[in-house]
Amino acid sequence: TILQFSDDAMDVGLERLRYPHQHADRFQRRLLNAEWVAAQVSLAARDVTDVVFVHISMCFGSRKDNLAGKRVWLLPMLMGLSYRQSGEHVTEEYLQEERRCVMLADRIITPSHFEKRQLIEGYGAISERVKVIPRGIPAATSAPVKRPSDVSLKICSVGSIKPQKNTLGLVKRFSAISKQHPEARLGVIGPVQNEAYHRLVLREIDALGLREAVTFYGYVPPESLGATISEFDIHLTDSLCETFG
């Protein structure tokens, strides 16, 4: 059984349960919906032996008593301490709920030693419960494509539009590149997760005179991502913090 929770119309190819409580701040939204998400998980987990939480916020609200007899696996994804390092406002209440979920997990899988250290030092995780397994991608996704060298330089960046991904920094970096390569084009692939920040990015693009050079693709499903990025020459990121470091 796979549960997918959503607060928008993003099509991820799974049946989605829409959050009943809305909030502009995604961290507060996760806290507001914690008990409701936990109730859905408890119902779905009645006849299973293992429950896997992909993203630590999906574990919010769940407790030992409503997961009795289940082995709990946690794939944390990016956590509150990393968001804080990226300059985003994360409340102590949110971090405490993350710490509670870390202690609830029987097994934790992380893609990096960086995040393993963070789990142990920042969240109190038991080292023996944390396993580092680097992420992989389907071979077809990264298949190289030869393109003529006399065409314009095409740069892409895969990442949601939000402060942690530092889209503003990405645009400024691309601006410096475009001074040497006036024909260069930038494609930003990923959904808008912070509307106010998105507006700042658009204003910066206009201020730098890059409106014709930057294209926003929005959310691209995994099965289409390989074909989309194969049209570009370079992937560029200016992200402030990721699970891999």
Side-chain angles (χ1 to χ4, degrees):
T1 301
I2 300 176
L3 299 182
Q4 170 71 40
F5 301 99
S6 175
D7 57 0
D8 54 34
M10 184 189 299
D11 183 7
V12 292
L14 299 170
E15 181 180 356
R16 298 181 304 282
L17 299 172
R18 186 174 177 82
Y19 288 138
H21 306 295
Q22 300 300 310
H23 197 286
D25 182 292
R26 67 187 184 284
F27 302 114
Q28 288 303 309
R29 183 168 62 242
R30 291 166 184 169
L31 290 171
L32 286 172
N33 287 284
E35 296 300 326
W36 177 81
V37 170
Q40 310 312 307
V41 171
S42 183
L43 286 172
R46 285 179 297 185
D47 300 318
V48 303
T49 59
D50 294 70
V51 178
V52 181
F53 292 101
V54 181
H55 200 289
I56 194 166
S57 67
M58 296 296 96
C59 187
F60 285 9
S62 290
R63 290 171 172 76
K64 280 291 186 185
D65 56 352
N66 62 2
L67 293 174
K70 318 296 182 187
R71 187 164 43 230
V72 176
W73 298 74
L74 176 63
L75 285 71
M77 311 297 282
L78 201 72
M79 296 181 293
L81 287 177
S82 291
Y83 280 115
R84 273 192 175 180
Q85 290 176 12
S86 302
E88 295 203 47
H89 176 67
V90 182
T91 64
E92 191 59 34
E93 179 187 9
Y94 189 92
L95 294 179
Q96 289 293 3
E97 185 64 7
E98 286 186 320
R99 292 187 180 102
R100 193 188 61 76
C101 291
V102 166
M103 300 311 296
L104 176 67
D106 299 298
R107 299 286 187 274
I108 302 174
I109 298 176
T110 172
S112 70
H113 291 281
F114 167 84
E115 189 175 70
K116 180 175 181 177
R117 288 195 303 273
Q118 186 183 70
L119 282 160
I120 295 169
E121 297 170 7
Y123 290 90
I126 298 170
S127 178
E128 291 73 22
R129 294 183 183 179
V130 185
K131 177 71 172 178
V132 176
I133 303 178
R135 289 180 183 160
I137 58 173
T141 303
S142 58
V145 176
K146 291 185 178 180
R147 300 176 67 243
S149 59
D150 59 347
V151 298
S152 62
L153 180 64
K154 297 183 70 176
I155 300 171
C156 74
S157 184
V158 181
S160 305
I161 314 301
K162 57 185 176 183
Q164 175 245 328
K165 296 296 184 183
N166 194 24
T167 319
L168 272 173
L170 170 72
V171 168
K172 293 174 182 177
R173 198 171 296 277
F174 173 72
S175 177
I177 293 172
S178 67
K179 287 179 171 58
Q180 296 184 43
H181 301 275
E183 81 292 346
R185 296 293 180 266
L186 173 64
V188 182
I189 303 169
V192 175
Q193 291 192 349
N194 185 314
E195 292 288 352
Y197 186 74
H198 183 222
R199 290 192 291 272
L200 288 176
V201 171
L202 294 177
R203 284 201 291 270
E204 185 67 17
I205 289 171
D206 284 342
L208 293 170
L210 297 173
R211 179 175 290 192
E212 299 302 318
V214 180
T215 300
F216 289 90
Y217 285 73
Y219 172 75
V220 175
E223 62 271 16
S224 302
L225 188 57
T228 302
I229 64 175
S230 69
E231 296 298 319
F232 295 88
D233 303 300
I234 298 171
H235 181 269
L236 180 65
T237 181
D238 210 41
S239 180
L240 297 172
C241 190
E242 295 289 345
T243 51
F244 47 78

